[in-house]
Amino acid sequence: MGADQSRSVGSDIVVVNEDISPLKAESKESARKIISKVQPLLEHSASFGILASDHAALRQLNPRHMIELFTVYEEHLRQSSVVVAEEQNQLSRNLRETDQTVAQILAVAQKKHDVYGVWSKNIQSSVKETNEQLTAINNILDSLVPLVNNLNELLPVDQRLPSFSQSPS
C-alpha cells in the first residue's frame, strides 16, 4: 500500500457517538497522534508481513503510547457496547409492546368475527324462512289464478274482468 492509500484508510473512521467519553480532550488529541503513528504498522501487520524498513519504526515505538491507544480503543468499544445493549433493550421492549398490541387487536377482531358470525346465521335463517313463505304464497297464487279465471268466465261478458296471469307483463 502506498502512503496515499494508508492515509485514506485512516479517514474512514466512523464516530458512533461523540461526547460519551469521559476522557479529557487532551487525551483524545494524544490518542489521535498515536493512531496516526501506529496506523501504518497496523496495516502491515494485518497482512502478516512486516517490511524491513518497518523494523526501525517498531524499535522506536513507545509501549506507553500503544497502551494509551489500546486503552482509548477499549473505552470506545465499551461505550459502543453499552449503546448497543441499550438499543437492543429498547428494541426488545418495542417488540414486546408491538406483540401485545397485535394480540389485543386479534382478540378484538376474533370477538367481532364471532358476533358477525351469529348475526350472519340469524340473517341466513331469516332469509330462508322468508324464502319458504314466499314460495308458499307463490304456490297459493298459482292455484288461485285458474280458479279466478274460471269464475270470471262464468260472469256475463259486460261484467268480466281482464284475465289474470302470474307472469309479469
Side-chain angles (χ1 to χ4, degrees), residues 65-90:
H65 294 299
M66 289 298 289
I67 290 171
E68 287 178 17
L69 170 70
F70 290 126
T71 303
V72 169
Y73 184 62
E74 180 183 31
E75 179 64 20
H76 169 72
L77 290 178
R78 186 193 64 73
Q79 291 172 358
S80 297
S81 68
V82 168
V83 169
V84 167
E86 289 172 359
E87 289 176 356
Q88 285 177 339
N89 288 337
Q90 183 62 36

PDB file of all heavy atoms in Angstrom, residues 65-90:
ATOM      1  N   HIS A  65       2.648   4.598  24.624  1.00  0.00           N
ATOM      2  CA  HIS A  65       1.705   5.135  23.646  1.00  0.00           C
ATOM      3  C   HIS A  65       0.758   4.045  23.141  1.00  0.00           C
ATOM      4  O   HIS A  65      -0.432   4.295  22.939  1.00  0.00           O
ATOM      5  CB  HIS A  65       2.438   5.771  22.464  1.00  0.00           C
ATOM      6  CG  HIS A  65       3.220   7.001  22.820  1.00  0.00           C
ATOM      7  ND1 HIS A  65       2.628   8.124  23.331  1.00  0.00           N
ATOM      8  CD2 HIS A  65       4.548   7.267  22.747  1.00  0.00           C
ATOM      9  CE1 HIS A  65       3.548   9.047  23.563  1.00  0.00           C
ATOM     10  NE2 HIS A  65       4.730   8.544  23.217  1.00  0.00           N
ATOM     11  N   MET A  66       1.291   2.857  22.940  1.00  0.00           N
ATOM     12  CA  MET A  66       0.451   1.744  22.496  1.00  0.00           C
ATOM     13  C   MET A  66      -0.596   1.419  23.570  1.00  0.00           C
ATOM     14  O   MET A  66      -1.760   1.182  23.256  1.00  0.00           O
ATOM     15  CB  MET A  66       1.300   0.499  22.205  1.00  0.00           C
ATOM     16  CG  MET A  66       2.163   0.620  20.960  1.00  0.00           C
ATOM     17  SD  MET A  66       1.193   0.829  19.464  1.00  0.00           S
ATOM     18  CE  MET A  66       0.488  -0.794  19.330  1.00  0.00           C
ATOM     19  N   ILE A  67      -0.168   1.437  24.829  1.00  0.00           N
ATOM     20  CA  ILE A  67      -1.100   1.153  25.919  1.00  0.00           C
ATOM     21  C   ILE A  67      -2.184   2.227  25.963  1.00  0.00           C
ATOM     22  O   ILE A  67      -3.371   1.922  26.130  1.00  0.00           O
ATOM     23  CB  ILE A  67      -0.347   1.038  27.263  1.00  0.00           C
ATOM     24  CG1 ILE A  67       0.495  -0.234  27.265  1.00  0.00           C
ATOM     25  CG2 ILE A  67      -1.311   1.046  28.435  1.00  0.00           C
ATOM     26  CD1 ILE A  67       1.440  -0.354  28.450  1.00  0.00           C
ATOM     27  N   GLU A  68      -1.793   3.480  25.780  1.00  0.00           N
ATOM     28  CA  GLU A  68      -2.784   4.563  25.758  1.00  0.00           C
ATOM     29  C   GLU A  68      -3.755   4.383  24.589  1.00  0.00           C
ATOM     30  O   GLU A  68      -4.961   4.566  24.736  1.00  0.00           O
ATOM     31  CB  GLU A  68      -2.081   5.916  25.653  1.00  0.00           C
ATOM     32  CG  GLU A  68      -1.386   6.347  26.921  1.00  0.00           C
ATOM     33  CD  GLU A  68      -0.659   7.673  26.732  1.00  0.00           C
ATOM     34  OE1 GLU A  68      -0.963   8.400  25.750  1.00  0.00           O
ATOM     35  OE2 GLU A  68       0.209   7.981  27.563  1.00  0.00           O
ATOM     36  N   LEU A  69      -3.192   4.022  23.434  1.00  0.00           N
ATOM     37  CA  LEU A  69      -4.019   3.813  22.252  1.00  0.00           C
ATOM     38  C   LEU A  69      -5.039   2.703  22.505  1.00  0.00           C
ATOM     39  O   LEU A  69      -6.240   2.869  22.256  1.00  0.00           O
ATOM     40  CB  LEU A  69      -3.149   3.442  21.046  1.00  0.00           C
ATOM     41  CG  LEU A  69      -3.912   2.972  19.808  1.00  0.00           C
ATOM     42  CD1 LEU A  69      -4.664   4.136  19.195  1.00  0.00           C
ATOM     43  CD2 LEU A  69      -2.960   2.354  18.814  1.00  0.00           C
ATOM     44  N   PHE A  70      -4.579   1.596  23.027  1.00  0.00           N
ATOM     45  CA  PHE A  70      -5.478   0.478  23.256  1.00  0.00           C
ATOM     46  C   PHE A  70      -6.449   0.753  24.401  1.00  0.00           C
ATOM     47  O   PHE A  70      -7.565   0.240  24.407  1.00  0.00           O
ATOM     48  CB  PHE A  70      -4.689  -0.813  23.486  1.00  0.00           C
ATOM     49  CG  PHE A  70      -4.006  -1.291  22.234  1.00  0.00           C
ATOM     50  CD1 PHE A  70      -2.652  -1.545  22.218  1.00  0.00           C
ATOM     51  CD2 PHE A  70      -4.723  -1.466  21.058  1.00  0.00           C
ATOM     52  CE1 PHE A  70      -2.025  -1.984  21.063  1.00  0.00           C
ATOM     53  CE2 PHE A  70      -4.107  -1.905  19.895  1.00  0.00           C
ATOM     54  CZ  PHE A  70      -2.750  -2.159  19.896  1.00  0.00           C
ATOM     55  N   THR A  71      -6.045   1.575  25.347  1.00  0.00           N
ATOM     56  CA  THR A  71      -6.959   1.970  26.418  1.00  0.00           C
ATOM     57  C   THR A  71      -8.090   2.821  25.848  1.00  0.00           C
ATOM     58  O   THR A  71      -9.262   2.619  26.190  1.00  0.00           O
ATOM     59  CB  THR A  71      -6.204   2.755  27.512  1.00  0.00           C
ATOM     60  OG1 THR A  71      -5.135   1.956  27.999  1.00  0.00           O
ATOM     61  CG2 THR A  71      -7.129   3.130  28.651  1.00  0.00           C
ATOM     62  N   VAL A  72      -7.746   3.756  24.974  1.00  0.00           N
ATOM     63  CA  VAL A  72      -8.763   4.585  24.326  1.00  0.00           C
ATOM     64  C   VAL A  72      -9.683   3.704  23.472  1.00  0.00           C
ATOM     65  O   VAL A  72     -10.909   3.838  23.503  1.00  0.00           O
ATOM     66  CB  VAL A  72      -8.102   5.685  23.462  1.00  0.00           C
ATOM     67  CG1 VAL A  72      -9.122   6.373  22.578  1.00  0.00           C
ATOM     68  CG2 VAL A  72      -7.397   6.698  24.348  1.00  0.00           C
ATOM     69  N   TYR A  73      -9.081   2.773  22.744  1.00  0.00           N
ATOM     70  CA  TYR A  73      -9.867   1.876  21.894  1.00  0.00           C
ATOM     71  C   TYR A  73     -10.783   0.990  22.749  1.00  0.00           C
ATOM     72  O   TYR A  73     -11.952   0.776  22.413  1.00  0.00           O
ATOM     73  CB  TYR A  73      -8.929   1.029  21.039  1.00  0.00           C
ATOM     74  CG  TYR A  73      -9.636   0.131  20.065  1.00  0.00           C
ATOM     75  CD1 TYR A  73     -10.447   0.662  19.056  1.00  0.00           C
ATOM     76  CD2 TYR A  73      -9.513  -1.247  20.142  1.00  0.00           C
ATOM     77  CE1 TYR A  73     -11.100  -0.146  18.156  1.00  0.00           C
ATOM     78  CE2 TYR A  73     -10.172  -2.071  19.245  1.00  0.00           C
ATOM     79  CZ  TYR A  73     -10.956  -1.516  18.252  1.00  0.00           C
ATOM     80  OH  TYR A  73     -11.600  -2.333  17.375  1.00  0.00           O
ATOM     81  N   GLU A  74     -10.253   0.498  23.855  1.00  0.00           N
ATOM     82  CA  GLU A  74     -11.040  -0.329  24.764  1.00  0.00           C
ATOM     83  C   GLU A  74     -12.220   0.466  25.321  1.00  0.00           C
ATOM     84  O   GLU A  74     -13.343  -0.040  25.393  1.00  0.00           O
ATOM     85  CB  GLU A  74     -10.157  -0.842  25.903  1.00  0.00           C
ATOM     86  CG  GLU A  74     -10.886  -1.706  26.900  1.00  0.00           C
ATOM     87  CD  GLU A  74      -9.988  -2.137  28.052  1.00  0.00           C
ATOM     88  OE1 GLU A  74      -9.065  -1.374  28.403  1.00  0.00           O
ATOM     89  OE2 GLU A  74     -10.222  -3.216  28.585  1.00  0.00           O
ATOM     90  N   GLU A  75     -11.976   1.708  25.699  1.00  0.00           N
ATOM     91  CA  GLU A  75     -13.046   2.565  26.220  1.00  0.00           C
ATOM     92  C   GLU A  75     -14.106   2.812  25.141  1.00  0.00           C
ATOM     93  O   GLU A  75     -15.304   2.776  25.409  1.00  0.00           O
ATOM     94  CB  GLU A  75     -12.466   3.895  26.717  1.00  0.00           C
ATOM     95  CG  GLU A  75     -13.497   4.855  27.257  1.00  0.00           C
ATOM     96  CD  GLU A  75     -14.214   4.339  28.492  1.00  0.00           C
ATOM     97  OE1 GLU A  75     -13.694   3.431  29.179  1.00  0.00           O
ATOM     98  OE2 GLU A  75     -15.319   4.841  28.775  1.00  0.00           O
ATOM     99  N   HIS A  76     -13.642   3.040  23.914  1.00  0.00           N
ATOM    100  CA  HIS A  76     -14.570   3.233  22.791  1.00  0.00           C
ATOM    101  C   HIS A  76     -15.434   1.982  22.598  1.00  0.00           C
ATOM    102  O   HIS A  76     -16.654   2.078  22.427  1.00  0.00           O
ATOM    103  CB  HIS A  76     -13.793   3.555  21.519  1.00  0.00           C
ATOM    104  CG  HIS A  76     -14.639   3.506  20.281  1.00  0.00           C
ATOM    105  ND1 HIS A  76     -15.579   4.467  19.995  1.00  0.00           N
ATOM    106  CD2 HIS A  76     -14.694   2.600  19.282  1.00  0.00           C
ATOM    107  CE1 HIS A  76     -16.182   4.157  18.863  1.00  0.00           C
ATOM    108  NE2 HIS A  76     -15.663   3.023  18.409  1.00  0.00           N
ATOM    109  N   LEU A  77     -14.821   0.817  22.629  1.00  0.00           N
ATOM    110  CA  LEU A  77     -15.571  -0.425  22.461  1.00  0.00           C
ATOM    111  C   LEU A  77     -16.558  -0.636  23.611  1.00  0.00           C
ATOM    112  O   LEU A  77     -17.690  -1.080  23.407  1.00  0.00           O
ATOM    113  CB  LEU A  77     -14.624  -1.621  22.361  1.00  0.00           C
ATOM    114  CG  LEU A  77     -13.795  -1.711  21.081  1.00  0.00           C
ATOM    115  CD1 LEU A  77     -12.869  -2.915  21.147  1.00  0.00           C
ATOM    116  CD2 LEU A  77     -14.681  -1.783  19.854  1.00  0.00           C
ATOM    117  N   ARG A  78     -16.132  -0.297  24.835  1.00  0.00           N
ATOM    118  CA  ARG A  78     -17.016  -0.446  25.985  1.00  0.00           C
ATOM    119  C   ARG A  78     -18.229   0.469  25.835  1.00  0.00           C
ATOM    120  O   ARG A  78     -19.374   0.055  26.028  1.00  0.00           O
ATOM    121  CB  ARG A  78     -16.269  -0.123  27.288  1.00  0.00           C
ATOM    122  CG  ARG A  78     -17.109  -0.407  28.548  1.00  0.00           C
ATOM    123  CD  ARG A  78     -16.508   0.194  29.803  1.00  0.00           C
ATOM    124  NE  ARG A  78     -16.449   1.647  29.782  1.00  0.00           N
ATOM    125  CZ  ARG A  78     -17.514   2.452  29.912  1.00  0.00           C
ATOM    126  NH1 ARG A  78     -18.706   1.954  30.068  1.00  0.00           N
ATOM    127  NH2 ARG A  78     -17.376   3.760  29.877  1.00  0.00           N
ATOM    128  N   GLN A  79     -17.991   1.709  25.469  1.00  0.00           N
ATOM    129  CA  GLN A  79     -19.082   2.656  25.296  1.00  0.00           C
ATOM    130  C   GLN A  79     -20.004   2.220  24.155  1.00  0.00           C
ATOM    131  O   GLN A  79     -21.227   2.319  24.257  1.00  0.00           O
ATOM    132  CB  GLN A  79     -18.539   4.055  25.037  1.00  0.00           C
ATOM    133  CG  GLN A  79     -17.863   4.657  26.253  1.00  0.00           C
ATOM    134  CD  GLN A  79     -17.166   5.960  25.917  1.00  0.00           C
ATOM    135  OE1 GLN A  79     -17.149   6.390  24.777  1.00  0.00           O
ATOM    136  NE2 GLN A  79     -16.575   6.581  26.923  1.00  0.00           N
ATOM    137  N   SER A  80     -19.407   1.735  23.093  1.00  0.00           N
ATOM    138  CA  SER A  80     -20.216   1.255  21.968  1.00  0.00           C
ATOM    139  C   SER A  80     -21.069   0.069  22.390  1.00  0.00           C
ATOM    140  O   SER A  80     -22.239  -0.029  22.008  1.00  0.00           O
ATOM    141  CB  SER A  80     -19.327   0.853  20.786  1.00  0.00           C
ATOM    142  OG  SER A  80     -18.628   1.976  20.309  1.00  0.00           O
ATOM    143  N   SER A  81     -20.499  -0.815  23.179  1.00  0.00           N
ATOM    144  CA  SER A  81     -21.267  -1.984  23.629  1.00  0.00           C
ATOM    145  C   SER A  81     -22.411  -1.552  24.546  1.00  0.00           C
ATOM    146  O   SER A  81     -23.493  -2.139  24.497  1.00  0.00           O
ATOM    147  CB  SER A  81     -20.365  -2.992  24.334  1.00  0.00           C
ATOM    148  OG  SER A  81     -19.898  -2.489  25.566  1.00  0.00           O
ATOM    149  N   VAL A  82     -22.182  -0.535  25.372  1.00  0.00           N
ATOM    150  CA  VAL A  82     -23.254  -0.028  26.237  1.00  0.00           C
ATOM    151  C   VAL A  82     -24.377   0.553  25.383  1.00  0.00           C
ATOM    152  O   VAL A  82     -25.562   0.277  25.622  1.00  0.00           O
ATOM    153  CB  VAL A  82     -22.710   1.025  27.228  1.00  0.00           C
ATOM    154  CG1 VAL A  82     -23.833   1.770  27.917  1.00  0.00           C
ATOM    155  CG2 VAL A  82     -21.792   0.376  28.243  1.00  0.00           C
ATOM    156  N   VAL A  83     -24.016   1.329  24.374  1.00  0.00           N
ATOM    157  CA  VAL A  83     -25.025   1.926  23.493  1.00  0.00           C
ATOM    158  C   VAL A  83     -25.787   0.827  22.753  1.00  0.00           C
ATOM    159  O   VAL A  83     -27.022   0.867  22.661  1.00  0.00           O
ATOM    160  CB  VAL A  83     -24.362   2.905  22.495  1.00  0.00           C
ATOM    161  CG1 VAL A  83     -25.335   3.329  21.417  1.00  0.00           C
ATOM    162  CG2 VAL A  83     -23.817   4.117  23.225  1.00  0.00           C
ATOM    163  N   VAL A  84     -25.074  -0.165  22.251  1.00  0.00           N
ATOM    164  CA  VAL A  84     -25.723  -1.259  21.529  1.00  0.00           C
ATOM    165  C   VAL A  84     -26.659  -2.027  22.461  1.00  0.00           C
ATOM    166  O   VAL A  84     -27.783  -2.372  22.090  1.00  0.00           O
ATOM    167  CB  VAL A  84     -24.670  -2.200  20.896  1.00  0.00           C
ATOM    168  CG1 VAL A  84     -25.295  -3.489  20.417  1.00  0.00           C
ATOM    169  CG2 VAL A  84     -23.955  -1.499  19.757  1.00  0.00           C
ATOM    170  N   ALA A  85     -26.213  -2.282  23.689  1.00  0.00           N
ATOM    171  CA  ALA A  85     -27.057  -3.003  24.649  1.00  0.00           C
ATOM    172  C   ALA A  85     -28.324  -2.203  24.958  1.00  0.00           C
ATOM    173  O   ALA A  85     -29.430  -2.770  25.019  1.00  0.00           O
ATOM    174  CB  ALA A  85     -26.279  -3.284  25.932  1.00  0.00           C
ATOM    175  N   GLU A  86     -28.194  -0.900  25.142  1.00  0.00           N
ATOM    176  CA  GLU A  86     -29.368  -0.065  25.406  1.00  0.00           C
ATOM    177  C   GLU A  86     -30.325  -0.077  24.226  1.00  0.00           C
ATOM    178  O   GLU A  86     -31.542  -0.180  24.394  1.00  0.00           O
ATOM    179  CB  GLU A  86     -28.941   1.367  25.724  1.00  0.00           C
ATOM    180  CG  GLU A  86     -28.265   1.526  27.070  1.00  0.00           C
ATOM    181  CD  GLU A  86     -27.688   2.915  27.282  1.00  0.00           C
ATOM    182  OE1 GLU A  86     -27.787   3.761  26.376  1.00  0.00           O
ATOM    183  OE2 GLU A  86     -27.127   3.149  28.371  1.00  0.00           O
ATOM    184  N   GLU A  87     -29.785   0.004  23.012  1.00  0.00           N
ATOM    185  CA  GLU A  87     -30.630  -0.017  21.826  1.00  0.00           C
ATOM    186  C   GLU A  87     -31.315  -1.366  21.663  1.00  0.00           C
ATOM    187  O   GLU A  87     -32.486  -1.436  21.290  1.00  0.00           O
ATOM    188  CB  GLU A  87     -29.816   0.330  20.585  1.00  0.00           C
ATOM    189  CG  GLU A  87     -29.406   1.789  20.543  1.00  0.00           C
ATOM    190  CD  GLU A  87     -28.512   2.139  19.357  1.00  0.00           C
ATOM    191  OE1 GLU A  87     -28.133   1.226  18.590  1.00  0.00           O
ATOM    192  OE2 GLU A  87     -28.183   3.327  19.213  1.00  0.00           O
ATOM    193  N   GLN A  88     -30.596  -2.452  21.974  1.00  0.00           N
ATOM    194  CA  GLN A  88     -31.212  -3.777  21.899  1.00  0.00           C
ATOM    195  C   GLN A  88     -32.328  -3.916  22.927  1.00  0.00           C
ATOM    196  O   GLN A  88     -33.380  -4.485  22.629  1.00  0.00           O
ATOM    197  CB  GLN A  88     -30.158  -4.871  22.116  1.00  0.00           C
ATOM    198  CG  GLN A  88     -29.251  -5.075  20.930  1.00  0.00           C
ATOM    199  CD  GLN A  88     -28.171  -6.108  21.197  1.00  0.00           C
ATOM    200  OE1 GLN A  88     -27.849  -6.397  22.346  1.00  0.00           O
ATOM    201  NE2 GLN A  88     -27.612  -6.647  20.135  1.00  0.00           N
ATOM    202  N   ASN A  89     -32.106  -3.394  24.126  1.00  0.00           N
ATOM    203  CA  ASN A  89     -33.158  -3.437  25.145  1.00  0.00           C
ATOM    204  C   ASN A  89     -34.386  -2.642  24.696  1.00  0.00           C
ATOM    205  O   ASN A  89     -35.517  -3.075  24.898  1.00  0.00           O
ATOM    206  CB  ASN A  89     -32.639  -2.910  26.486  1.00  0.00           C
ATOM    207  CG  ASN A  89     -31.691  -3.863  27.153  1.00  0.00           C
ATOM    208  OD1 ASN A  89     -31.707  -5.059  26.892  1.00  0.00           O
ATOM    209  ND2 ASN A  89     -30.834  -3.344  28.019  1.00  0.00           N
ATOM    210  N   GLN A  90     -34.150  -1.486  24.111  1.00  0.00           N
ATOM    211  CA  GLN A  90     -35.259  -0.663  23.620  1.00  0.00           C
ATOM    212  C   GLN A  90     -36.000  -1.394  22.502  1.00  0.00           C
ATOM    213  O   GLN A  90     -37.235  -1.403  22.476  1.00  0.00           O
ATOM    214  CB  GLN A  90     -34.749   0.707  23.125  1.00  0.00           C
ATOM    215  CG  GLN A  90     -35.855   1.634  22.667  1.00  0.00           C
ATOM    216  CD  GLN A  90     -36.826   1.979  23.768  1.00  0.00           C
ATOM    217  OE1 GLN A  90     -36.468   2.128  24.920  1.00  0.00           O
ATOM    218  NE2 GLN A  90     -38.097   2.087  23.424  1.00  0.00           N
TER     219      GLN A  90
END
